[in-house]
Amino acid sequence: MLRTLPVDNLIRLNMKPMADINCTFDQHGDPNGDRLLLQALWDDLRARREFLTSPYLPACFAFFIHILLCSPFLVFEALGCFWPRMHFYRISRNAEPLGLCLQRWVDCFWRIFIKYLTTILPASALYQSVRNPIFPELAPSWRVLIAEVIACLLLFDALFFIWHYSMHRVPWLYRIVHQAHHQNRITFALTAQDASPAELLSLQVLALTSAWVVGCHPLSEALFHLLNTWLAVEDHCGYDLPWALHRLLPCFGGAPFHQAHHHVYRGNYAPYFRHWDWLCGTYLRVREEAGRKHGGRTMRRRRRRKSLGSDCVCMCTYNKA
């Protein structure tokens, strides 16, 4: 005779698998809350796994994203040739004709394109061919995503500070690797990647190492690389805009912070945050060094006085001799 179970037991049996599912999702975030949008996005990306594992995708994506993020600042440069109000936000460059401005951008574009074509593309293709990417089924929660991206940015900032400081302290390393980047004493957005092939490769290695050490989800890693590109562009844009990230979050240095480094070739070695330069005594006061209201004249006067002072010391020494 078939024995029936009480209704309460049936409910318990039906609810037990759901409890197990909820416990599984609780380890990665609530699927009906903060993970729903990310999970849909991640499922769509996983469906294109073959395309995402293409050996040529990372270099091509990095190049086109860099150009895309630089394009608004090219518009600012062009508007500045006709609307003097835009010069108020410039850090140190005076107005120039539109033709000269466009020529400067075109020359920089071709330098970066050739380096990507001859160095970054083959190197990234080789790396992708030996890499074994992992595509987990679950997307990270928003909390995990934000935490992993912040951890990657902080680690990359520390690694870059050490590498950047070393390049300025070791003469042969500066000449071979970093000197090409400092040909742009006055930076603009495209110059973020206007560097030697060796330096571009080293920055890729630092970014990949940061993501590997943190052990972040592929979605977090992709967002980290995207933010990394944007922060580099903003640091080199040459504009102190009121909505810039360093004005919203004072822990960031921003364009004035990095422009001061390009002016005096020392100090402000960290790419994004200020704390390492504060702790190591290499912080330059950007308000005095690159005040935007004076269009960089304050820094030039200081450098001129410093050079004149050095000449006077040399002349006095010569006279005494």
Side-chain angles (χ1 to χ4, degrees):
M1 183 175 182
L2 184 63
R3 186 178 177 183
T4 59
L5 292 174
V7 175
D8 293 341
N9 291 341
L10 290 174
I11 294 175
R12 292 192 190 98
L13 289 175
N14 290 331
M15 292 299 295
K16 186 175 180 180
M18 292 300 298
D20 293 340
I21 293 174
N22 289 334
C23 291
T24 302
F25 279 120
D26 285 341
Q27 298 175 0
H28 302 278
D30 182 11
N32 296 321
D34 61 346
R35 283 188 65 250
L36 188 58
L37 180 60
L38 289 178
Q39 188 62 50
L41 175 62
W42 180 238
D43 290 340
D44 185 66
L45 291 174
R46 288 180 70 245
R48 296 171 170 80
R49 181 181 305 182
E50 184 176 354
F51 172 74
L52 294 177
T53 55
S54 169
Y56 304 106
L57 179 64
C60 296
F61 182 78
F63 177 78
F64 285 114
I65 285 296
H66 176 66
I67 299 302
L68 180 64
L69 294 178
C70 290
S71 57
F73 297 102
L74 176 59
V75 175
F76 289 160
E77 295 267 3
L79 286 177
C81 299
F82 306 100
W83 188 25
R85 177 67 178 174
M86 293 299 301
H87 300 321
F88 178 76
Y89 299 106
R90 284 178 179 268
I91 295 175
S92 59
R93 177 177 286 277
N94 295 323
E96 62 181 5
L98 180 60
L100 183 60
C101 172
L102 294 178
Q103 185 63 45
R104 181 163 48 91
W105 278 72
V106 170
D107 292 342
C108 185
F109 171 85
W110 284 115
R111 288 196 300 267
I112 298 173
F113 177 77
I114 292 173
K115 291 167 187 174
Y116 261 83
L117 188 63
T118 58
T119 305
I120 303 301
L121 185 63
S124 63
L126 178 62
Y127 173 73
Q128 288 295 110
S129 63
V130 300
R131 186 186 184 188
N132 186 21
I134 299 175
F135 290 86
E137 293 186 4
L138 295 178
S141 66
W142 283 104
R143 293 185 296 273
V144 172
L145 179 76
I146 295 173
E148 290 178 346
V149 170
I150 292 176
C152 286
L153 288 174
L154 289 172
L155 181 57
F156 177 84
D157 190 79
L159 294 176
F160 185 91
F161 175 84
I162 298 172
W163 175 234
H164 195 189
Y165 182 84
S166 302
M167 288 189 291
H168 276 269
R169 291 297 178 178
V170 181
W172 66 266
L173 199 59
Y174 178 84
R175 289 194 306 269
I176 297 175
V177 180
H178 194 51
Q179 189 174 13
H181 183 63
H182 274 280
Q183 67 181 331
N184 302 289
R185 187 169 176 269
I186 305 297
T187 61
F188 53 100
L190 269 183
T191 60
Q193 296 199 28
D194 188 13
S196 68
E199 184 169 2
L200 290 177
L201 285 176
S202 67
L203 296 182
Q204 295 292 328
V205 171
L206 292 182
L208 292 172
T209 301
S210 301
W212 176 75
V213 170
V214 173
C216 55
H217 192 278
L219 202 59
S220 304
E221 183 178 357
L223 181 58
F224 159 64
H225 290 307
L226 185 63
L227 285 177
N228 195 21
T229 304
W230 165 250
L231 289 174
V233 169
E234 190 179 57
D235 278 357
H236 292 81
C237 70
Y239 285 89
D240 190 7
L241 298 170
W243 58 81
L245 190 60
H246 68 277
R247 291 189 169 275
L248 303 177
L249 298 173
C251 59
F252 287 91
F257 180 84
H258 195 68
Q259 182 68 76
H261 169 78
H262 275 262
H263 268 291
V264 299
Y265 301 101
R266 61 175 176 81
N268 290 2
Y269 296 111
Y272 308 135
F273 300 100
R274 301 170 184 256
H275 57 273
W276 286 115
D277 286 290
W278 279 340
L279 294 173
C280 297
T282 56
Y283 178 74
L284 298 176
R285 291 184 176 275
V286 299
R287 298 302 181 189
E288 289 81 4
E289 294 291 341
R292 64 180 172 86
K293 287 187 178 181
H294 299 286
R297 290 192 296 272
T298 302
M299 179 179 294
R300 288 195 292 271
R301 284 198 297 267
R302 290 186 177 185
R303 287 174 59 86
R304 190 179 301 113
R305 286 198 298 267
K306 183 177 179 180
S307 62
L308 289 175
S310 301
D311 294 339
C312 291
V313 170
C314 296
M315 183 61 68
C316 291
T317 305
Y318 176 79
N319 291 334
K320 289 180 180 178

